[in-house]
Amino acid sequence: MGTVHARSLDPLPMQGRDLGVNHDDMEGMEPEQDTKQEILENRNVVVQHVNIEGLGRTKEDYLGYEIAEVFDAKNLIDVMKKSHDARMKLLRLGIFKEVEVLIDVSEGADALPNGLDVTFEVTELKRLTGSYNTMVGNNEGSMVLGLKLPNALGRGEKATFQFSYGTKETSYGLSFFKPQPGHFERNFTLNLYKVTGQFPWSSLKETDRGVSTELNFPLWMTTHTLKWEGVWRELGCLARSASFAVREESGHSLKSSLSHTMAIDTRNSAILPRRGALLRLNQELAGYTGGDASFLKEDLELQLNRPFLFGSVLSASLWGGMLMPIGGKPSSIADRFYLGGPTSVRGFGMYSIGPQSEGDYLGGEAYWAGGLHLYTPLPFRPGRGGFGDLFRTHFFLNAGNLCNLNYGEGPRAHLQKLAECIRWSYGAGIVLRLGNIARLELNYCIPMGVQNGDRICDGVQFGAGIRFL
């Protein structure tokens, strides 16, 4: 429960008229643990004062929403539980280094016989903090340096500067985060950024300079994100051997888009869940607010996880998406979908499925991918209860397809095209969970349904990332 102290509880009325027990009747009686517990649970108390000590730049009115429920406690056990909940809410704000709780009897002229005072002793974060860490993306790694101004204006705001240098991507950006008082899940974010990425499977390099705003909020069981993004994109060839199709895409473009993401996530872990489900829907509309990129993009992710026999977990995943150009303009190589690799359809090269030109993969306007997985404990359970629990044996079956559609045709023709030339693979391997941050996979893959132009990885394949099919 964290650090919760209760002191000076003896003065609480444990006798007299309030309890119907006289002191004389209690002589010679040995208090029992069950009796004490019953008294703590059933004895009515009143929380008269809640104090927060140690505040510097934090505004007191901002914290009132987080501690308000402590006043509703009716007995000592309830006070401790609600104080712990309030402590966790205060820590979640990201503005305190430490929060301790002290429960004491009320003192003073207005003190009630059953009154309590609750004090939160807080230690604020420094005005300026720095960080250095490594980050794992989809089969790439990066070094991240950051500077933060936590609680910049005294009501949970956070300003962040971050620089990232990776194997395929380099970026830096400035962001400002503002939560709604009393509802931390409802927040607003403003971002300014520059990202330079290399995409060797397409012989392409891209530099994005942009600004974006995000509004996050929960609604019933779902979480929602509304986003506007304006970005100046510069595309170029990564190598002299780049195909003509990639060279045609080179140059500058402006994209202004509105997007909405809805998610329902009941999984017990985002990296290697044992139970629960995930549904994520994303829609993006570009061109309506300006720019020279015009399209409607839909993306779906579904995952189901269930415990199975002997500590194993059965998992099923489905991805799908469609990109529809608007106004007769062709889609950009930077906006299309890509498929293949150790994080999606295993046994194939990274994003090396679908339309290609002279060995450069151009992406597609529609795709689907599905997977069945069986995760089991390691044979003979070495390191059980410790380091060995981070590993899982992995058996998988993946399938998918990526193509371009003729939107003048009907839905039946689209489904028929997506059902043609299905790539699939199966195999087994070892999975390592890196905390709740990322996971590593080492698999032996057997690709099937290989089409002309696909790049395969027949045999051992290594993968690292956050989002896996």
Side-chain angles (χ1 to χ4, degrees), residues 82 139 154 197 279 368-369 426 438 469:
K82 290 186 181 297
N139 232 37
L279 172 63
W368 69 270
Y426 63 94
L469 177 66

Side-chain angles (χ1 to χ4, degrees), residues 18 21 42 57 64 81 84 135 162 178 183 281 289 293 309 314 355 385 392 424 437 446:
D18 292 332
V21 178
N42 298 328
R57 60 187 183 278
K81 289 180 179 178
H84 170 69
M135 184 171 62
Q162 186 168 282
K178 169 66 177 176
H183 300 278
L281 298 171
T289 54
L309 302 175
L314 190 62
R392 288 288 186 274
W424 61 284
I437 301 173
I446 303 175

